[in-house]
């Protein structure tokens, strides 16, 4: 695991350099979800694949930018799913973006997840790595330094409601409105990594990306976004649900499957479960 941790750190430093200097022009390619890839998406994908290829314990990798998984070392025990540059469309407006990693033993799948990690590229570069505990690291003078362990409070103050409101189910809109009436503050940048990072570091709240009329299976990808953050939120004392069940009990049929998802502290997640149990 140490080798994987080191490879992710090396990738993060190289991606930070690529973000700083690389022209972000659009490529002619689309990724598996039909989004036009930036040259930077492709570059970041290559950086991570290259760094992980040096780690003998990594059996197979699967990137959000590629249709198929790639076997690296047949004798390795770890499987890694990653989103090299989540929220990359925010780069041209200079908002924060991130890389997300899910680490599985034996095969992909939420039940096999043993660790997960994300890196935020913002005014500073930070990394959150979760195994038994959730730990925050800060990139300082070229090295990641441990800062602190992260724990979520029982109840937070922030609300990050994803998706287009006109496509939300009515009961979802009523639930979100209810939170705002209770005093929750809107904090939504449109980047999953910084939005979930903010809720984690400010003690709690709710990030939601529901099933919508235009995206009945949600938008966010199970292996590349939803499972890794579910693991981190649970290890930090929070909750990750699809509205009906624990995210980490969900399976997947295809690498790029999506799911509705809600990540938060216990108080807000309980409300989600109650509302969705009544309506869905
Ligand atoms: O998956 C890409 C992504 O940009 C996430 O980082 C983010 O949470 C989500 O899409 C935002 O989607 P929307 O703009 O529909 O709220």
């Amino acid at each position: 695991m140490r080798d994987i941790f080191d490879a992710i750190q090396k990738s993060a430093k190289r991606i930070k350099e690529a973000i700083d200097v690389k022209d972000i022009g659009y490529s002619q390619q689309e990724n598996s979800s039909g989004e036009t890839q930036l040259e930077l998406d492709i570059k970041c994908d290559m950086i991570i694949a290259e760094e992980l290829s040096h780690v003998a314990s990594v059996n197979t990798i699967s990137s959000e930018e590629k249709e198929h998984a790639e076997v690296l070392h047949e004798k390795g025990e770890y499987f890694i799913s990653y989103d090299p540059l989540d929220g990359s469309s925010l780069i041209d407006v200079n908002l924060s973006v991130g890389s997300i990693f899910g680490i599985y033993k034996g095969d992909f799948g939420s039940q096999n997840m043993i660790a997960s990690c994300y890196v935020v590229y913002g005014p500073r570069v930070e990394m959150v790595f979760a195994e038994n505990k959730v730990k925050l690291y800060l990139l300082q003078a070229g090295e990641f330094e441990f800062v602190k362990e992260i724990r979520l409070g029982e109840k937070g103050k922030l609300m990050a409601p994803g998706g287009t409101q006109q496509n939300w189910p009515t009961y979802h809109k009523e639930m979100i409105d209810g939170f705002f009436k209770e005093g929750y503050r809107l904090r939504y940048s449109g980047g999953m990594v910084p939005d979930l990072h903010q809720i984690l570091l400010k003690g709690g709240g709710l990030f939601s990306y529901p099933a919508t009329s235009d995206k009945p299976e949600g938008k966010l990808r199970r292996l590349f976004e939803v499972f890794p953050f579910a693991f981190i939120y649970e290890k930090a004392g929070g909750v990750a649900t699809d509205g009906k069940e624990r995210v980490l009990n969900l399976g997947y049929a295809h690498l790029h499957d999506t799911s509705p998802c809600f990540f938060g502290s216990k108080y807000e997640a309980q409300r989600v479960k109650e509302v969705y149990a009544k309506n869905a």
Side-chain angles (χ1 to χ4, degrees):
M1 186 61 71
R2 180 76 226 178
D3 293 355
I4 296 173
F5 187 64
D6 289 346
I8 291 175
Q9 291 195 0
K10 279 188 201 152
S11 306
K13 291 179 206 170
R14 289 178 62 190
I15 289 173
K16 169 66 180 152
E17 278 170 26
I19 292 171
D20 285 349
V21 300
K22 186 81 177 75
D23 172 5
I24 62 152
Y26 286 91
S27 72
Q28 299 307 310
Q29 300 175 38
E30 284 189 349
N31 66 16
S32 303
S33 306
E35 296 161 345
T36 307
Q37 289 173 310
L38 298 177
E39 284 172 23
L40 194 55
D41 288 317
I42 299 166
K43 166 106 181 161
C44 295
D45 185 23
M46 279 169 43
I47 289 173
I48 293 172
E50 192 184 300
E51 291 298 340
L52 292 176
S53 74
H54 300 313
V55 183
S57 61
V58 177
N59 185 304
T60 302
I61 55 173
S62 175
S63 167
E64 194 260 336
E65 297 297 334
K66 291 207 191 91
E67 182 78 34
H68 302 290
E70 186 187 344
V71 178
L72 293 180
H73 305 283
E74 275 176 3
K75 294 208 169 100
E77 57 182 337
Y78 299 115
F79 286 62
I80 301 185
S81 61
Y82 63 91
D83 186 347
L85 202 59
D86 189 75
S88 56
S89 64
L90 298 173
I91 289 202
D92 57 0
V93 291
N94 205 16
L95 286 174
S96 298
V97 292
S99 305
I100 309 169
F101 301 84
I103 304 165
Y104 311 82
K105 199 168 183 176
D107 201 354
F108 295 112
S110 55
Q111 325 273 356
N112 301 325
M113 184 164 253
I114 53 156
S116 74
C117 171
Y118 65 82
V119 181
V120 196
Y121 311 97
R124 304 192 294 189
V125 178
E126 292 185 326
M127 180 172 88
V128 171
F129 196 93
E131 268 184 280
N132 287 326
K133 293 180 173 171
V134 183
K135 294 181 178 172
L136 173 69
Y137 299 82
L138 172 66
L139 184 62
Q140 271 183 319
E143 294 305 325
F144 278 95
E145 305 285 345
F146 172 72
V147 179
K148 62 175 180 180
E149 194 187 321
I150 302 175
R151 291 294 298 170
L152 275 163
E154 292 285 309
K155 179 180 188 302
K157 295 183 177 147
L158 306 183
M159 204 42 45
T164 308
Q165 285 202 31
Q166 71 181 137
N167 300 330
W168 288 352
T170 315
Y171 56 87
H172 180 80
K173 171 137 179 60
E174 284 168 4
M175 179 184 76
I176 298 293
D177 289 348
F179 281 120
F180 284 125
K181 281 191 194 125
E182 262 180 57
Y184 281 80
R185 281 174 289 145
L186 176 66
R187 291 291 183 270
Y188 192 78
S189 74
M192 186 183 191
V193 176
D195 287 338
L196 281 163
H197 188 58
Q198 179 164 209
I199 289 172
L200 265 182
L201 290 186
K202 303 272 190 197
L206 183 72
F207 174 98
S208 49
Y209 207 108
T212 54
S213 53
D214 57 334
K215 293 188 176 80
E217 296 303 322
K219 174 183 184 187
L220 300 175
R221 285 146 282 226
R222 294 182 185 210
L223 282 174
F224 308 111
E225 294 164 312
V226 180
F227 292 168
F229 270 110
F231 189 89
I232 289 168
Y233 264 64
E234 284 197 359
K235 292 290 181 190
V239 177
T241 172
D242 71 346
K244 290 183 223 123
E245 60 177 311
R246 186 176 166 242
V247 160
L248 292 179
N249 287 341
L250 298 175
Y252 72 98
H254 303 286
L255 290 174
H256 294 268
D257 279 354
T258 59
S259 169
C261 53
F262 304 83
F263 303 91
S265 26
K266 291 195 172 123
Y267 173 84
E268 297 82 1
Q270 185 55 33
R271 177 84 54 83
V272 172
K273 288 182 196 167
E274 286 164 14
V275 168
Y276 272 72
K278 257 191 248 151
N279 293 285

